[in-house]
Structures are given as structure tokens and as C-alpha cells.
Amino acid sequence: MLRRLAFVELAVDDWDAAVRYYRDVIGLRLVHHDADRRWALFQLPAGDAGVAVFQRAAGKPDVALTFECSDLDATAAEWIGRGARPLGEPTTSPEGYRLIRFVDPAGRRLNLFEFADGDAAR
């Protein structure tokens, strides 16, 4: 079961400038900053959803939607049963979540994840 739209990922040409912009100009709270992977996550003030920025790279979509769910295997099976196309098998991150990627008809990435310990939105 889907819990929420966790965040929207945006490809950017200047990652450092985007981090400064969303943090300093827009005023979003920076909750994860990975300079090595050029990926940063910001939380909206109410904490309901976030915005992530990543360095644009060949072959990566410009926008990706990331959904949190309560049961990754069941939700992924439901999506696949209704025609969604996964991009591989679920993976487990050392950061404490499981993730599977899908692609929509326009080629945009849809990420589906659950926290490995079952905790709801952190």
C-alpha cells in the first residue's frame, strides 16, 4: 500500500548551485547531502514530501517520482500485475531502505521504497 509521495527528483546541470538555491533561496531543509553521488534531499516545512536534486547524467531521466509504501513486495507485485514495468529486482540500501525502480510510458522513473525496519516516513 502506498503511504505517500516521498519526493520528486530533479536533474540539474549545476548541482552545487541547485543545492544552494533550494536551501538558501526557497528555504527547504536539507536532510541528506551526498556530494560524492551528487544527490541532495530537501524536506518541505510540513515534512509531507521532499525535493531531491541530482547531477544530470546521460541516460538518466530529468524527473523521477519516489513513493513510499508499507509493503514493497506486495505493492510492486500489484503494480506489475496492472502492467507496470520494473527496471530490475528490489535492492537493499545500507541506508536502511529497500527500493525497486519502474519506468512509466514516457520513460520517467518511478521509485518505490520501504524502510527496511518497517518504520513509516522518517
Side-chain angles (χ1 to χ4, degrees), residues 29-80:
R29 183 171 55 97
L30 181 62
V31 295
H32 187 80
H33 184 271
D34 187 335
D36 292 335
R37 288 182 33 219
R38 310 297 280 175
W39 193 88
L41 176 63
F42 301 88
Q43 197 71 45
L44 278 85
D48 294 332
V51 173
V53 294
F54 63 93
Q55 185 67 47
R56 184 181 313 279
K60 282 187 107 175
D62 285 345
V63 176
L65 303 177
T66 298
F67 297 93
E68 181 185 354
C69 66
S70 58
D71 183 334
L72 183 73
D73 297 320
T75 305
E78 184 179 310
W79 283 20
I80 293 167

Side-chain angles (χ1 to χ4, degrees), residues 4 9 12 28 36 53 68 86-87 89-90 95 99 116 118 122:
R4 67 187 178 111
E9 288 182 279
V12 297
L28 300 181
D36 292 335
V53 294
E68 181 185 354
L87 297 174
E89 297 295 319
E95 294 174 337
L99 172 86
R122 297 178 189 218

